Amino acid sequence: MSEMATLQQRRRELGARLSRPLTSILRRSPLSPNALTLLGIVVTFVSAWFAALGSFFLSGIVLGVAALFDMADGALARATGRSSVFGAILDSASDRISEALLLGGLSLWFLRTGNTTGIIVCYVALVASFLVSYLRARGEALGIECSVGLCTRPERVIVLALGLVTSYVFVAVSIVALCASVTVIQRLVYLQRKGKETLN
């Protein structure tokens, strides 16, 4: 197993351990996995709202709660036998919506404070983050598993949450923009290589 695959496996195992207590509680609630996914979007909107107001610490804490919901919805679906194709699609769409909400909230804060560079960096981070996910989906549609890369969604959320609670927001968004852009290049190179192997 490659170092990247090992890292991804460890990340999944860590996510499963962190979400297990919450999943146990949610199994006894009337919430469905899809409802939990939608709730995660609402919670992320609250985080984005605090970010737009400059209440970064609160935004970071709320984002951490949203991240727990994001980990728990899939675990809940598997634990209750309610996994579905639509649920997977909704989960993927909610990830994109959540990233757009948070980076949009930060862009509003940068706009209010006259930080044009911050707005540009948020835009780069958003586009690169979307491309990271798109390339994986496009590769898998062609039969190529594409989870390689420096900065997938969990890493982006962790960096942004840490940046918010420490108020190093511009630094965090810049790291996400850079690392996501590097990941886009990594996945393009990987897909090009795998595509050639497929043709051969």
Side-chain angles (χ1 to χ4, degrees):
M1 185 179 290
S2 68
E3 183 178 344
M4 184 62 69
T6 302
L7 180 61
Q8 290 162 355
Q9 180 64 28
R10 288 177 179 172
R11 188 182 64 213
R12 284 193 291 267
E13 291 172 355
L14 177 61
R17 285 198 297 270
L18 290 174
S19 62
R20 194 172 295 130
L22 180 59
T23 303
S24 299
I25 296 172
L26 291 170
R27 288 186 68 174
R28 297 188 290 272
S29 76
L31 276 177
S32 68
N34 289 347
L36 188 61
T37 299
L38 295 174
L39 182 60
I41 295 176
V42 174
V43 175
T44 304
F45 174 79
V46 175
S47 175
W49 179 266
F50 281 132
L53 295 176
S55 300
F56 298 136
F57 183 79
L58 282 175
S59 177
I61 296 299
V62 175
L63 180 61
V65 175
L68 283 177
F69 286 159
D70 185 41
M71 289 188 293
D73 57 2
L76 180 63
R78 291 186 293 272
T80 58
R82 288 187 282 183
S83 299
S84 65
V85 172
F86 176 73
I89 293 172
L90 180 63
D91 183 59
S92 181
S94 74
D95 288 346
R96 308 292 81 74
I97 293 170
S98 295
E99 287 191 289
L101 284 172
L102 183 59
L103 289 170
L106 289 171
S107 294
L108 286 175
W109 167 254
F110 288 133
L111 179 64
R112 290 177 58 199
T113 56
N115 190 338
T116 304
T117 304
I119 297 172
I120 294 171
V121 172
C122 277
Y123 178 75
V124 173
L126 181 62
V127 172
S129 297
F130 274 33
L131 281 173
V132 168
S133 300
Y134 171 78
L135 289 172
R136 176 174 180 173
R138 188 67 179 133
E140 291 178 350
L142 296 172
I144 304 172
E145 183 179 351
C146 184
S147 56
V148 301
L150 175 68
C151 190
T152 59
R153 175 168 162 74
E155 288 83 13
R156 297 196 298 269
V157 172
I158 290 171
V159 169
L160 288 173
L162 288 175
L164 286 165
V165 297
T166 59
S167 294
Y168 285 99
V169 178
F170 180 79
V171 174
V173 176
S174 298
I175 291 172
V176 169
L178 175 61
C179 293
S181 298
V182 170
T183 305
V184 169
I185 296 171
Q186 287 177 308
R187 291 194 172 182
L188 283 171
V189 171
Y190 176 81
L191 288 171
Q192 180 191 36
R193 180 168 56 83
K194 284 293 183 180
K196 289 181 177 179
E197 290 177 3
T198 302
L199 290 176
N200 294 334

